[in-house]
Amino acid sequence: MSAIVKDPYNVIITGVGGQGNVIASRMLGNILAKKGYTITIGETFGVSQRGGSVMSHIRISARGTWSPQMPKGKADLIVALEPIESLRVMAGYGNPSTKVLSNSRPVYPVGVIAGDQKYPSREELNDALLKLTSDVKFVDATDEALKLGEPILSNVIMMGAIAGLDDLPFDTPDFIEVMAGTFKKEKQEINIKAFELGKELVIKA
């Protein structure tokens, strides 16, 4: 079993309902469980079916089982499928060493669509995150997924981006093995393409 950079290694995958947050967290957990790690996942759904926040705590360890509820300030990696969720989660669970990996495409809440609230620009969001940690990367996951013809692939692109960080010991063959039990055969080729794209994008971010 390859070593992880920290044990336990604490990941939070966050987004809003309908972005595939839960599938991404379970796939990441399954990939690393197959490599011999003990995985604990805790999920909060809120009003996810109405576009509310969704957050999965994934704790990865070679030493044993940890509480599914990650303590505040202990996230090693925050993966946000929706940009403003990266800031919300970072404020509670991050620390100056936390890495933030965020999709760049917002999903506007009702208040913003109605004109009652303002959504921060990417620059404003980046500046706010950089006050909390120096390691912030944005990936155009939704834009690239749309080019592939399926916006839901943004979660798989973000999975590839996680692999591209090299903090966790998994790569394309591990993804393919777990994906084969998750997606229909006709969907596998495009999911592999999305995963590989995520690896490329995070290197450029």
Side-chain angles (χ1 to χ4, degrees):
M1 183 166 59
S2 302
I4 48 179
V5 296
K6 180 176 167 291
D7 194 337
Y9 190 89
N10 296 321
V11 180
I12 294 178
I13 299 181
T14 184
V16 297
Q19 289 192 296
N21 186 96
V22 174
I23 290 175
S25 63
R26 292 181 180 173
M27 286 192 71
L28 179 62
N30 288 339
I31 287 170
L32 293 164
K34 282 183 175 291
K35 298 185 80 71
Y37 291 100
T38 298
I39 308 298
T40 310
I41 300 179
E43 293 167 335
T44 60
F45 293 92
V47 285
S48 58
Q49 292 182 339
R50 288 178 285 170
S53 299
V54 183
M55 178 166 57
S56 301
H57 291 195
I58 306 153
R59 310 195 73 186
I60 304 148
S61 177
R63 296 187 287 148
T65 303
W66 296 77
S67 166
Q69 184 63 41
M70 190 182 304
K72 298 281 187 181
K74 294 295 184 183
D76 297 300
L77 172 63
I78 293 171
V79 181
L81 304 181
E82 202 291 323
I84 205 165
E85 294 300 315
S86 65
L87 182 59
R88 188 179 65 78
V89 174
M90 182 66 199
Y93 290 93
N95 62 69
S97 298
T98 301
K99 295 183 177 182
V100 175
L101 181 59
S102 178
N103 184 9
S104 62
R105 173 74 74 94
V107 177
Y108 295 121
V110 173
V112 173
I113 294 171
D116 297 330
Q117 299 172 336
K118 178 180 178 293
Y119 194 98
S121 68
R122 178 166 166 172
E123 290 72 24
E124 290 171 331
L125 191 56
N126 189 57
D127 289 346
L129 285 166
L130 287 173
K131 291 178 180 176
L132 303 172
T133 176
S134 61
D135 200 331
V136 179
K137 295 182 188 300
F138 283 90
V139 173
D140 296 330
T142 300
D143 292 349
E144 294 299 329
L146 285 167
K147 291 177 186 174
L148 292 175
E150 296 192 33
I152 191 62
L153 288 171
S154 60
N155 65 346
V156 176
I157 291 174
M158 294 303 286
M159 285 280 296
I162 297 171
L165 291 176
D166 286 333
D167 271 15
L168 294 170
F170 75 100
D171 208 336
T172 306
D174 307 301
F175 172 74
I176 291 172
E177 183 182 1
V178 168
M179 179 197 63
T182 304
F183 298 118
K184 294 179 181 177
K185 189 173 182 179
E186 59 267 27
K187 294 288 185 183
Q188 293 181 8
E189 183 177 344
I190 197 166
N191 274 277
I192 294 169
K193 189 173 183 179
F195 185 88
E196 290 289 339
L197 185 56
K199 287 167 55 181
E200 295 171 12
L201 290 171
V202 80
I203 292 171
K204 300 173 185 173

